[in-house]
Amino acid sequence: MGLRVDLTFDCVAAGPLAQFWKVVLGYEDEPPPAPFATREEWVASFGEPEEGEGGGAWLRDPAGVGPRLVFLEVPEPKVAKNRLHLDVRVGRGPDAWARVEAKAASLVAVGGRVLATVAGHHVVMADPEGNEFCVAA
């Protein structure tokens, strides 16, 4: 069996953050593992949650190419800049910058923020919880 990489994000509100990243990447909710009918049933199979343990959300690439994304609610707030960020690539070509700008604008409409623009190259953004990422060709 080959290796794969999942990306797990600690966050304050898993549901809304997962919704944002579904728009960013075109991902979908990942179904629960068999034999569970719902994620809630799967989570309950682990027993009572620890104090301060929150919910979660699981996303997958419908094409099966990109990494699985997991959002887990934690009680502590983010205190420093992330040491890792994602680059969302929209593709190269003659209209690449227009696609970068359009993608950035669509993400602002669903809760993202533009932090900086390097014209003709990339847009630095933040998701609703302040995690930085770039939109680039």
Side-chain angles (χ1 to χ4, degrees):
M1 180 175 159
L3 297 176
R4 73 168 201 230
V5 172
D6 292 348
L7 298 175
T8 302
F9 298 84
D10 288 348
C11 60
V12 173
L17 194 57
Q19 287 301 117
F20 176 81
W21 282 99
K22 283 167 60 172
V23 172
V24 173
L25 299 173
Y27 273 33
E28 63 189 17
D29 292 320
E30 182 182 66
F36 301 101
T38 67
R39 275 286 171 187
E40 293 75 19
E41 185 181 294
W42 175 74
V43 169
S45 76
F46 293 101
E48 288 297 315
E50 300 282 325
E51 185 176 335
E53 188 174 60
W58 295 261
L59 303 180
R60 69 177 181 187
D61 177 358
V65 177
R68 176 178 176 245
L69 301 183
V70 180
F71 301 90
L72 299 177
E73 292 177 359
V74 297
E76 65 275 0
K78 180 179 169 184
V79 295
K81 180 181 176 187
N82 292 351
R83 299 245 182 207
L84 169 77
H85 74 262
L86 304 179
D87 289 341
V88 176
R89 300 288 182 168
V90 298
R92 299 186 185 272
D95 62 343
W97 182 243
R99 286 194 313 277
V100 168
E101 290 180 310
K103 185 67 170 181
S106 73
L107 298 178
V108 167
V110 294
R113 290 181 294 120
V114 172
L115 302 177
T117 300
V118 179
H121 193 263
H122 68 275
V123 177
V124 180
M125 299 191 70
D127 70 15
E129 290 205 8
N131 301 302
E132 291 186 21
F133 65 99
C134 290
V135 177

